[in-house]
Amino acid sequence: MGIFQRFARIPLKSTYIWSLCRQYSTDLTAVDRALIQHRNPGAAPPRLPFSRVTQEDLAFFRTLLPGRTITDPDLLKSSNVDWLKTVEGNSEVLLRPKTTEEVSQILRYCNERNLAVCPQGGNTGLVGGSVPVFDEIILSTSLMKQVITFDNISGILTCQAGCVLENLSNYLEERDFIMPLDLGAKGSCHIGGNVSTNAGGLRLLRYGSLRGTVLGLEVVLADGRILNCLATLRKDNTGYDLKQLFIGSEGTLGVITAVSILCPRKPKAVNVAFLGCSSFQQLLETFQCCRGMLGEILSAFEFLDASCMSLLEKHLKLTNPITESPFYIVIETAGSNATHDEEKLHKFLEEVMTSSLVTDGTVATEATKIKALWSLRERVTEALTHEGYTYKYDISLPVEKIYDLVQDMRGHLGDMAKNVVGYGHVGDGNLHLNITSPSKDPALLAAIEPYVYEWTSKWKGSISAEHGLGLKKRNYIYYSKPSEAVALMGSIKAMLDPKGILNPYKTLPDNIH
């Protein structure tokens, strides 16, 4: 490992809030709303004819949830605004149930009263899916944080939906297991929200998506019925796999209240390499070599470009541990034999260095240094928030086309954008394209969209790889799904939630054709 022993020392506000208040639907004429929708398909639609919360409703909720029915505007504020501070609702009620039965009674009552509900976990979403658009009641899972069971033979964890991902990770590590997913927002995000958005994250290359690791779900439907599919079996081929309907449905079909998930054993040896490449083609060739030579111990292959590194250095004062490069790679290996893993990694590093695929690099094996290297990838989103207003795109593409979109977007926008940066999960073909400007700029947005979606559709990609559609991207679904598929989604929504009270204005387009 000698050639890579060197290791260098390694409250957000936005001026522009996209305010989506109740008066939106009444202050504008139908023509005005149509024009806004035409100009910006990500804008809020008119408020649907849901009931308003009355004193009688509040009395019911306070009886059901004594001390857990929040109406103080100051306490509601953080739940009304998304993490990016770009979408703000106007909910007057926050409910904090502790049990599935309480969720059931809430939804049964809201369905009868025609009251819209916005399910909310850790509120770390990036597409406006976890906050109200108008005055929907916020149903928070923050108090549903109990581990129900853990089987240390099978590695199957069953827990409530409000468990914070990092807390679950700590719980499992004490028992020599790990969660199959890892996210930059792990300190805040809830496992129920992860499942509801089918979050991907940093370990997908190794352990696959939540569609494979989630074994069972408990879900409360719009009318209050409890659907108990909380299986702990790896094999169950009896009828339709109903849990898949709710994974990635963003709370529009039901509220997930509990999850059973298959967890891998904690690796005994973890290594992280941070490498520099002079071109994206060399980065791809390094990835190809990496998969061949590291094989079963490869757990992550991430990248960021030089622009991302500049933002990390400028805003977060992080230090680049290697020579400046156009592209950077984070590679993680995880296995059961330290000597075996280090030998494989050493041979791989010698190969990519001698073939000039990699220009410089460093390796970490100690926990603190591993964390420092990972922060260079995980904190890019945080660094971007200091750049002004950020337009975020979560794109899935054929691996060889990932960075072409970044370069084409730079050429397309010219001087209109302050920064166009790219980073993401090479192993999954997932690009996080971020475009910044000093403030919210409608002209810049018009230049980005629908260009970015047309480009993605041209190369058979997905306009949302892991963030979901939420409010912001719902009307762009046709760039990734045929009309027949979207129509069927609408039929499923109508069957499970005929009054449309669950997370309205999200995921599905305003007009299904």
Side-chain angles (χ1 to χ4, degrees), residues 360-403:
D360 193 13
T362 185
V363 169
T365 56
E366 299 172 14
T368 54
K369 293 180 178 180
I370 286 174
K371 185 177 181 180
L373 286 183
W374 265 120
S375 68
L376 294 168
R377 164 61 183 85
E378 291 182 323
R379 297 185 67 187
V380 174
T381 299
E382 180 186 348
L384 281 160
T385 61
H386 296 275
E387 275 290 281
Y389 194 92
T390 305
Y391 296 93
K392 306 182 76 67
Y393 300 93
D394 166 46
I395 305 295
S396 185
L397 288 163
V399 177
E400 67 276 8
K401 301 300 297 182
I402 288 178
Y403 207 73

Side-chain angles (χ1 to χ4, degrees), residues 178-183 200-209 264-273 287 289-303 329-336 340-341 344-345 348 364 370 374 377-378 424-429 466:
I178 61 171
M179 287 295 287
L181 76 159
D182 186 23
L183 307 171
L202 306 170
R203 291 177 178 161
L204 192 140
L205 176 64
R206 175 70 171 270
Y207 300 115
S209 77
R265 287 297 297 267
K266 181 181 177 180
K268 290 182 170 59
V270 176
N271 299 284
V272 171
F287 175 55
C289 180
C290 183
R291 294 183 72 181
M293 295 187 70
L294 298 182
E296 79 287 351
I297 66 170
L298 177 62
S299 58
F301 192 104
E302 304 285 306
F303 93 97
I329 307 170
V330 181
I331 295 173
E332 182 183 82
T333 66
S336 59
H340 168 266
D341 294 358
K344 293 190 77 164
L345 183 57
F348 160 71
I370 286 174
W374 265 120
R377 164 61 183 85
E378 291 182 323
H425 319 287
V426 177
D428 317 331
E466 60 181 2

Side-chain angles (χ1 to χ4, degrees), residues 190-206:
H190 295 183
I191 187 63
N194 299 152
V195 174
S196 294
T197 57
N198 190 26
L202 306 170
R203 291 177 178 161
L204 192 140
L205 176 64
R206 175 70 171 270

